[in-house]
């Protein structure tokens, strides 16, 4: 039986208003050069390219529902939820580091978290659908148990993983985060647990500066179940392939997950304004295809891809097209018009992979690697 793929989307995601970038000078002079990086146009261009590229005919549309207090409390503190509610109700724009809100934000953040729960319901209960692309905002992977941060208010994938464990009785869930920034909030929430394996591949020495190092491997019974893979600038498509083959695939094989959830930030793309990793549509297609194959091998194909970052409005939809192509297993007959020259994979990437293995080899087995980059 051929499995179908769900596309979770709701127009209400556009109601979350982050406003404009603001520069305030002495005397109160204000410059607003552009919309905030995380804005509703990110969603409209993704939706448009899904529909007009023909990808929509391969997807089954679904609507999300809102996460309740009970759902959020699986990973967030009561104080955290109340602070977000109070700040949004009061119309406070900046309610945490790089976290911009409006009066509608708290409700839409619940919808974003609930969308991942809906995705869990779908892959666990629908015999015809095992894969989901959740086109959601606000993103979530920087939100820790008790802090908003970096455009994130509630941790969507963490809420979904905790729901899958409690509601569906799962014992082993993988969260793979390929956003260009470290998923510090997700790490924080599951750092001492062994039922959720958190893997984050992100740009080294970037946001947030205080987290994402290779030595952060988890603690207590969670030791070894947190894997950080900080990679250097210019890693590119082949560098990401090397990381997947050297670390991600063998670890997932050993963990034997019952569900895989992706924090899918396409901000590692080659034209993103806040990234230097140079990944193209083909790179994202490879990653989604590879993780789909792993899901089919180890967890009956159950795979959820939840949107996180990605901020170049010209290339974000193209990178996301690649993700959905890999997820569904189709190729859209369309040539990327952007000229993106190939670069040699930096030697620092191989050193970074070796460093990760050094810290993780007491927990996981790694085979000898072939250099194909």
């Amino acid at each position: 039986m051929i499995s179908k793929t769900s596309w979770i989307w709701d127009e209400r995601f556009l109601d979350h208003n982050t406003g404009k970038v603001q520069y305030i000078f002495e005397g109160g002079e204000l410059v607003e050069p552009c919309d905030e990086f995380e804005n509703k146009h990110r969603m409209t261009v993704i939706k448009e390219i899904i529909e007009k590229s023909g990808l929509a005919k391969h997807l089954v549309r679904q609507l999300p529902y809102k996460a309740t207090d009970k759902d959020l409390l699986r990973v967030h503190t009561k104080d955290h939820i109340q602070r977000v509610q109070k700040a949004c109700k009061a119309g406070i724009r900046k309610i945490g580091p790089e976290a911009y809100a409006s009066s509608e934000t708290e409700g839409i953040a619940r919808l974003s978290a609930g969308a991942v729960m809906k995705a869990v319901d779908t892959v666990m209960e629908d015999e015809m659908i095992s894969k989901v692309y959740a086109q959601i905002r606000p993103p979530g992977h920087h939100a820790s148990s008790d802090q908003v941060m970096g455009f994130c208010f509630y941790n969507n994938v963490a809420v979904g993983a905790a729901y899958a464990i409690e509601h569906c009785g799962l014992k082993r869930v993988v969260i793979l985060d390929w956003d260009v920034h470290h998923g510090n909030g997700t790490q924080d929430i599951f750092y001492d647990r062994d039922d959720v394996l958190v893997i984050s591949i992100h740009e080294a020495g970037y946001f947030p500066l205080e987290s994402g190092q290779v030595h952060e491997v988890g603690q207590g019974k969670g030791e070894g179940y947190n894997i950080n893979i900080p990679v250097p600038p210019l890693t590119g498509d082949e560098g990401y392939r090397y990381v997947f083959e050297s670390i991600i695939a063998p670890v997932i094989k050993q963990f034997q997950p019952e569900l895989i959830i992706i924090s899918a930030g396409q901000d590692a793309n080659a034209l993103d304004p806040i990234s230097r990793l140079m990944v193209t549509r083909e790179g994202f297609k490879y990653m989604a295809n590879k993780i789909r194959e792993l899901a089919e091998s180890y967890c009956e194909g159950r795979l959820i891809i939840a949107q996180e970052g990605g901020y170049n409005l010209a290339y974000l939809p193209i990178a996301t097209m690649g993700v959905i192509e890999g997820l569904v297993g189709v190729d859209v007959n369309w040539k990327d018009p952007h000229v993106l020259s190939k670069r040699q994979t930096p030697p620092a990437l191989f050193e970074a992979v070796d460093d990760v293995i050094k810290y993780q080899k007491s927990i996981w087995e790694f085979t000898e690697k072939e250099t194909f980059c």
Side-chain angles (χ1 to χ4, degrees):
M1 182 177 66
I2 299 176
S3 171
K4 295 182 180 180
T5 304
S6 163
W7 170 26
I8 296 178
W9 163 251
D10 195 303
E11 295 288 339
R12 287 176 289 177
F13 289 129
L14 304 178
D15 294 338
H16 165 50
N17 182 9
T18 53
K20 294 183 176 295
V21 173
Q22 294 184 344
Y23 303 141
I24 302 174
F25 294 89
E26 187 176 353
E29 294 292 341
L30 176 67
V31 177
E32 296 182 321
C34 58
D35 290 337
E36 261 302 337
F37 286 116
E38 204 296 288
N39 61 68
K40 68 179 182 179
H41 305 299
R42 302 170 58 247
M43 296 294 103
T44 58
V45 293
I46 291 174
K47 180 175 181 288
E48 188 172 13
I49 210 163
I50 290 173
E51 292 173 337
K52 295 183 178 180
S53 68
L55 279 172
K57 68 184 180 183
H58 300 283
L59 305 172
V60 178
R61 281 288 301 274
Q62 290 184 304
L63 291 172
Y65 54 78
K66 287 188 177 182
T68 65
D69 280 0
K70 178 183 177 181
D71 300 324
L72 299 176
L73 285 167
R74 292 189 181 102
V75 300
H76 293 293
T77 65
K78 184 177 181 180
D79 285 346
H80 173 84
I81 297 169
Q82 290 177 340
R83 284 195 301 269
V84 175
Q85 289 176 318
K86 183 178 179 180
C88 292
K89 186 176 181 180
I92 298 172
R93 177 173 180 261
K94 186 175 182 180
I95 65 175
E98 301 292 331
Y100 306 102
S102 61
S103 59
E104 297 86 359
T105 293
E106 201 274 337
I108 305 306
R110 285 177 182 262
L111 193 67
S112 192
V116 183
M117 294 173 59
K118 172 66 174 180
V120 171
D121 292 338
T122 299
V123 301
M124 296 303 300
E125 299 171 6
D126 193 318
E127 294 182 356
M128 299 297 294
I129 301 175
S130 66
K131 301 164 292 182
V132 177
Y133 169 58
Q135 186 186 343
I136 56 177
R137 71 182 285 265
H141 72 148
H142 293 309
S144 66
S145 59
D146 62 355
Q147 184 180 17
V148 301
M149 185 181 192
F151 310 138
C152 304
F153 305 90
Y154 299 134
N155 195 307
N156 307 315
V157 298
V159 170
Y163 173 72
I165 290 167
E166 181 176 313
H167 181 74
C168 304
L170 299 191
K171 305 294 185 185
R172 297 176 307 281
V173 176
V174 164
I175 296 177
L176 170 61
D177 188 331
W178 67 47
D179 190 280
V180 77
H181 306 112
H182 177 238
N184 60 301
T186 311
Q187 171 177 294
D188 169 74
I189 289 167
F190 296 112
Y191 202 63
D192 59 356
R193 293 174 59 162
D194 62 0
D195 53 354
V196 180
L197 170 61
V198 177
I199 307 172
S200 178
I201 174 173
H202 50 271
E203 186 168 343
Y206 207 13
F207 182 88
L209 292 174
E210 66 276 9
S211 70
Q213 307 303 315
V214 292
H215 65 264
E216 298 165 12
V217 298
Q219 64 185 12
K221 68 178 182 179
E223 184 176 353
Y225 293 89
N226 191 83
I227 301 177
N228 285 323
I229 311 171
V231 297
L234 306 181
T235 287
D237 294 350
E238 290 302 309
Y240 268 72
R241 181 181 169 208
Y242 187 75
V243 168
F244 268 71
E245 299 295 342
S246 301
I247 300 174
I248 295 171
V251 168
I252 287 178
K253 179 179 179 180
Q254 293 166 73
F255 186 65
Q256 296 282 308
E258 296 166 291
L259 170 66
I260 299 174
I261 304 176
I262 308 297
S263 272
Q266 277 71 267
D267 41 7
N269 79 72
L271 298 181
D272 203 273
I274 52 178
S275 162
R276 299 164 294 175
L277 290 182
M278 305 302 294
V279 181
T280 72
R281 169 190 173 192
E282 291 303 313
F284 284 107
K285 185 189 300 184
Y286 160 79
M287 290 192 286
N289 184 69
K290 182 66 176 181
I291 207 70
R292 175 175 57 84
E293 291 175 348
L294 290 168
E296 290 170 349
S297 295
Y298 304 115
C299 53
E300 300 179 30
R302 291 191 288 262
L303 174 60
I304 297 166
I305 292 185
Q307 186 67 46
E308 296 278 2
Y311 305 105
N312 181 299
L313 295 180
Y315 206 78
L316 170 61
I318 296 175
T320 305
M321 176 195 294
V323 170
I324 298 173
E325 286 176 302
L327 176 65
V328 176
V330 301
D331 294 308
V332 173
N333 184 21
W334 181 78
K335 182 177 174 59
D336 184 346
H338 300 279
V339 178
L340 303 169
S341 58
K342 276 190 170 287
R343 294 173 169 82
Q344 185 174 3
T345 303
L349 182 275
F350 306 112
E351 297 170 7
V353 167
D354 289 342
D355 204 22
V356 174
I357 291 174
K358 180 180 73 174
Y359 277 93
Q360 296 287 343
K361 65 183 180 181
S362 64
I363 304 294
W364 309 103
E365 293 182 3
F366 301 93
T367 59
E368 292 295 323
K369 304 179 295 300
E370 296 180 9
T371 300
F372 50 79
C373 300

PDB file of all heavy atoms in Angstrom, residues 336-352:
ATOM      1  N   ASP A 336      15.610  25.368 -11.090  1.00  0.00           N
ATOM      2  CA  ASP A 336      15.913  26.478 -10.185  1.00  0.00           C
ATOM      3  C   ASP A 336      16.644  27.570 -10.975  1.00  0.00           C
ATOM      4  O   ASP A 336      17.713  27.326 -11.542  1.00  0.00           O
ATOM      5  CB  ASP A 336      16.791  25.947  -9.045  1.00  0.00           C
ATOM      6  CG  ASP A 336      17.098  26.995  -7.983  1.00  0.00           C
ATOM      7  OD1 ASP A 336      16.875  28.196  -8.227  1.00  0.00           O
ATOM      8  OD2 ASP A 336      17.577  26.600  -6.897  1.00  0.00           O
ATOM      9  N   PRO A 337      16.094  28.797 -11.034  1.00  0.00           N
ATOM     10  CA  PRO A 337      16.728  29.846 -11.846  1.00  0.00           C
ATOM     11  C   PRO A 337      17.951  30.476 -11.193  1.00  0.00           C
ATOM     12  O   PRO A 337      18.690  31.214 -11.850  1.00  0.00           O
ATOM     13  CB  PRO A 337      15.609  30.887 -11.985  1.00  0.00           C
ATOM     14  CG  PRO A 337      14.807  30.730 -10.730  1.00  0.00           C
ATOM     15  CD  PRO A 337      14.831  29.244 -10.432  1.00  0.00           C
ATOM     16  N   HIS A 338      18.180  30.190  -9.908  1.00  0.00           N
ATOM     17  CA  HIS A 338      19.303  30.803  -9.202  1.00  0.00           C
ATOM     18  C   HIS A 338      20.592  30.048  -9.512  1.00  0.00           C
ATOM     19  O   HIS A 338      20.652  28.831  -9.419  1.00  0.00           O
ATOM     20  CB  HIS A 338      19.046  30.805  -7.700  1.00  0.00           C
ATOM     21  CG  HIS A 338      17.818  31.577  -7.321  1.00  0.00           C
ATOM     22  ND1 HIS A 338      17.794  32.945  -7.203  1.00  0.00           N
ATOM     23  CD2 HIS A 338      16.557  31.152  -7.046  1.00  0.00           C
ATOM     24  CE1 HIS A 338      16.586  33.340  -6.870  1.00  0.00           C
ATOM     25  NE2 HIS A 338      15.813  32.278  -6.770  1.00  0.00           N
ATOM     26  N   VAL A 339      21.611  30.796  -9.876  1.00  0.00           N
ATOM     27  CA  VAL A 339      22.908  30.203 -10.182  1.00  0.00           C
ATOM     28  C   VAL A 339      23.694  30.084  -8.877  1.00  0.00           C
ATOM     29  O   VAL A 339      24.125  31.087  -8.292  1.00  0.00           O
ATOM     30  CB  VAL A 339      23.689  31.050 -11.205  1.00  0.00           C
ATOM     31  CG1 VAL A 339      25.061  30.421 -11.470  1.00  0.00           C
ATOM     32  CG2 VAL A 339      22.900  31.180 -12.504  1.00  0.00           C
ATOM     33  N   LEU A 340      23.856  28.860  -8.431  1.00  0.00           N
ATOM     34  CA  LEU A 340      24.538  28.598  -7.165  1.00  0.00           C
ATOM     35  C   LEU A 340      25.727  27.693  -7.453  1.00  0.00           C
ATOM     36  O   LEU A 340      25.579  26.484  -7.615  1.00  0.00           O
ATOM     37  CB  LEU A 340      23.574  27.938  -6.174  1.00  0.00           C
ATOM     38  CG  LEU A 340      22.300  28.743  -5.884  1.00  0.00           C
ATOM     39  CD1 LEU A 340      21.297  27.904  -5.108  1.00  0.00           C
ATOM     40  CD2 LEU A 340      22.643  30.014  -5.107  1.00  0.00           C
ATOM     41  N   SER A 341      26.889  28.284  -7.540  1.00  0.00           N
ATOM     42  CA  SER A 341      28.076  27.525  -7.929  1.00  0.00           C
ATOM     43  C   SER A 341      28.466  26.522  -6.846  1.00  0.00           C
ATOM     44  O   SER A 341      28.315  26.774  -5.649  1.00  0.00           O
ATOM     45  CB  SER A 341      29.245  28.480  -8.198  1.00  0.00           C
ATOM     46  OG  SER A 341      29.527  29.270  -7.050  1.00  0.00           O
ATOM     47  N   LYS A 342      28.959  25.377  -7.276  1.00  0.00           N
ATOM     48  CA  LYS A 342      29.399  24.348  -6.339  1.00  0.00           C
ATOM     49  C   LYS A 342      30.711  24.769  -5.684  1.00  0.00           C
ATOM     50  O   LYS A 342      31.589  25.342  -6.312  1.00  0.00           O
ATOM     51  CB  LYS A 342      29.580  23.013  -7.054  1.00  0.00           C
ATOM     52  CG  LYS A 342      28.290  22.219  -7.199  1.00  0.00           C
ATOM     53  CD  LYS A 342      28.608  20.817  -7.695  1.00  0.00           C
ATOM     54  CE  LYS A 342      27.387  19.918  -7.617  1.00  0.00           C
ATOM     55  NZ  LYS A 342      27.063  19.554  -6.231  1.00  0.00           N
ATOM     56  N   ARG A 343      30.832  24.457  -4.401  1.00  0.00           N
ATOM     57  CA  ARG A 343      32.059  24.738  -3.665  1.00  0.00           C
ATOM     58  C   ARG A 343      32.575  23.441  -3.065  1.00  0.00           C
ATOM     59  O   ARG A 343      31.801  22.546  -2.747  1.00  0.00           O
ATOM     60  CB  ARG A 343      31.802  25.754  -2.544  1.00  0.00           C
ATOM     61  CG  ARG A 343      31.423  27.142  -3.032  1.00  0.00           C
ATOM     62  CD  ARG A 343      31.025  28.021  -1.851  1.00  0.00           C
ATOM     63  NE  ARG A 343      30.898  29.416  -2.205  1.00  0.00           N
ATOM     64  CZ  ARG A 343      29.836  29.962  -2.770  1.00  0.00           C
ATOM     65  NH1 ARG A 343      28.797  29.201  -3.063  1.00  0.00           N
ATOM     66  NH2 ARG A 343      29.802  31.245  -3.058  1.00  0.00           N
ATOM     67  N   GLN A 344      33.864  23.379  -2.883  1.00  0.00           N
ATOM     68  CA  GLN A 344      34.442  22.206  -2.241  1.00  0.00           C
ATOM     69  C   GLN A 344      34.064  22.210  -0.760  1.00  0.00           C
ATOM     70  O   GLN A 344      34.085  23.252  -0.099  1.00  0.00           O
ATOM     71  CB  GLN A 344      35.958  22.227  -2.394  1.00  0.00           C
ATOM     72  CG  GLN A 344      36.631  20.969  -1.858  1.00  0.00           C
ATOM     73  CD  GLN A 344      38.120  20.962  -2.148  1.00  0.00           C
ATOM     74  OE1 GLN A 344      38.662  21.922  -2.693  1.00  0.00           O
ATOM     75  NE2 GLN A 344      38.793  19.882  -1.781  1.00  0.00           N
ATOM     76  N   THR A 345      33.702  21.045  -0.246  1.00  0.00           N
ATOM     77  CA  THR A 345      33.358  20.943   1.164  1.00  0.00           C
ATOM     78  C   THR A 345      34.558  21.317   2.014  1.00  0.00           C
ATOM     79  O   THR A 345      35.658  20.797   1.807  1.00  0.00           O
ATOM     80  CB  THR A 345      32.914  19.509   1.505  1.00  0.00           C
ATOM     81  OG1 THR A 345      31.819  19.147   0.661  1.00  0.00           O
ATOM     82  CG2 THR A 345      32.486  19.395   2.960  1.00  0.00           C
ATOM     83  N   PRO A 346      34.395  22.226   2.979  1.00  0.00           N
ATOM     84  CA  PRO A 346      35.534  22.674   3.773  1.00  0.00           C
ATOM     85  C   PRO A 346      36.094  21.552   4.642  1.00  0.00           C
ATOM     86  O   PRO A 346      35.325  20.756   5.208  1.00  0.00           O
ATOM     87  CB  PRO A 346      34.950  23.804   4.624  1.00  0.00           C
ATOM     88  CG  PRO A 346      33.486  23.547   4.673  1.00  0.00           C
ATOM     89  CD  PRO A 346      33.148  22.912   3.364  1.00  0.00           C
ATOM     90  N   PRO A 347      37.402  21.452   4.770  1.00  0.00           N
ATOM     91  CA  PRO A 347      38.002  20.421   5.633  1.00  0.00           C
ATOM     92  C   PRO A 347      37.490  20.479   7.068  1.00  0.00           C
ATOM     93  O   PRO A 347      37.431  19.451   7.750  1.00  0.00           O
ATOM     94  CB  PRO A 347      39.502  20.740   5.560  1.00  0.00           C
ATOM     95  CG  PRO A 347      39.675  21.445   4.242  1.00  0.00           C
ATOM     96  CD  PRO A 347      38.426  22.243   4.056  1.00  0.00           C
ATOM     97  N   ALA A 348      37.087  21.668   7.504  1.00  0.00           N
ATOM     98  CA  ALA A 348      36.586  21.811   8.867  1.00  0.00           C
ATOM     99  C   ALA A 348      35.331  20.981   9.108  1.00  0.00           C
ATOM    100  O   ALA A 348      35.022  20.626  10.248  1.00  0.00           O
ATOM    101  CB  ALA A 348      36.305  23.283   9.172  1.00  0.00           C
ATOM    102  N   LEU A 349      34.592  20.654   8.031  1.00  0.00           N
ATOM    103  CA  LEU A 349      33.392  19.825   8.192  1.00  0.00           C
ATOM    104  C   LEU A 349      33.768  18.418   8.651  1.00  0.00           C
ATOM    105  O   LEU A 349      33.148  17.855   9.556  1.00  0.00           O
ATOM    106  CB  LEU A 349      32.618  19.776   6.873  1.00  0.00           C
ATOM    107  CG  LEU A 349      31.291  19.014   6.785  1.00  0.00           C
ATOM    108  CD1 LEU A 349      31.494  17.533   6.514  1.00  0.00           C
ATOM    109  CD2 LEU A 349      30.428  19.237   8.009  1.00  0.00           C
ATOM    110  N   PHE A 350      34.814  17.846   8.054  1.00  0.00           N
ATOM    111  CA  PHE A 350      35.237  16.504   8.441  1.00  0.00           C
ATOM    112  C   PHE A 350      35.756  16.491   9.873  1.00  0.00           C
ATOM    113  O   PHE A 350      35.529  15.542  10.626  1.00  0.00           O
ATOM    114  CB  PHE A 350      36.292  15.987   7.459  1.00  0.00           C
ATOM    115  CG  PHE A 350      35.850  16.052   6.030  1.00  0.00           C
ATOM    116  CD1 PHE A 350      36.440  16.921   5.138  1.00  0.00           C
ATOM    117  CD2 PHE A 350      34.807  15.249   5.581  1.00  0.00           C
ATOM    118  CE1 PHE A 350      36.028  16.980   3.814  1.00  0.00           C
ATOM    119  CE2 PHE A 350      34.377  15.301   4.259  1.00  0.00           C
ATOM    120  CZ  PHE A 350      34.989  16.176   3.377  1.00  0.00           C
ATOM    121  N   GLU A 351      36.444  17.552  10.240  1.00  0.00           N
ATOM    122  CA  GLU A 351      36.931  17.674  11.623  1.00  0.00           C
ATOM    123  C   GLU A 351      35.752  17.772  12.590  1.00  0.00           C
ATOM    124  O   GLU A 351      35.780  17.195  13.684  1.00  0.00           O
ATOM    125  CB  GLU A 351      37.829  18.906  11.748  1.00  0.00           C
ATOM    126  CG  GLU A 351      39.097  18.832  10.903  1.00  0.00           C
ATOM    127  CD  GLU A 351      39.847  20.163  10.866  1.00  0.00           C
ATOM    128  OE1 GLU A 351      39.448  21.088  11.613  1.00  0.00           O
ATOM    129  OE2 GLU A 351      40.813  20.269  10.085  1.00  0.00           O
ATOM    130  N   ALA A 352      34.702  18.510  12.178  1.00  0.00           N
ATOM    131  CA  ALA A 352      33.525  18.651  13.035  1.00  0.00           C
ATOM    132  C   ALA A 352      32.839  17.310  13.253  1.00  0.00           C
ATOM    133  O   ALA A 352      32.419  16.984  14.374  1.00  0.00           O
ATOM    134  CB  ALA A 352      32.550  19.660  12.417  1.00  0.00           C
TER     135      ALA A 352
END
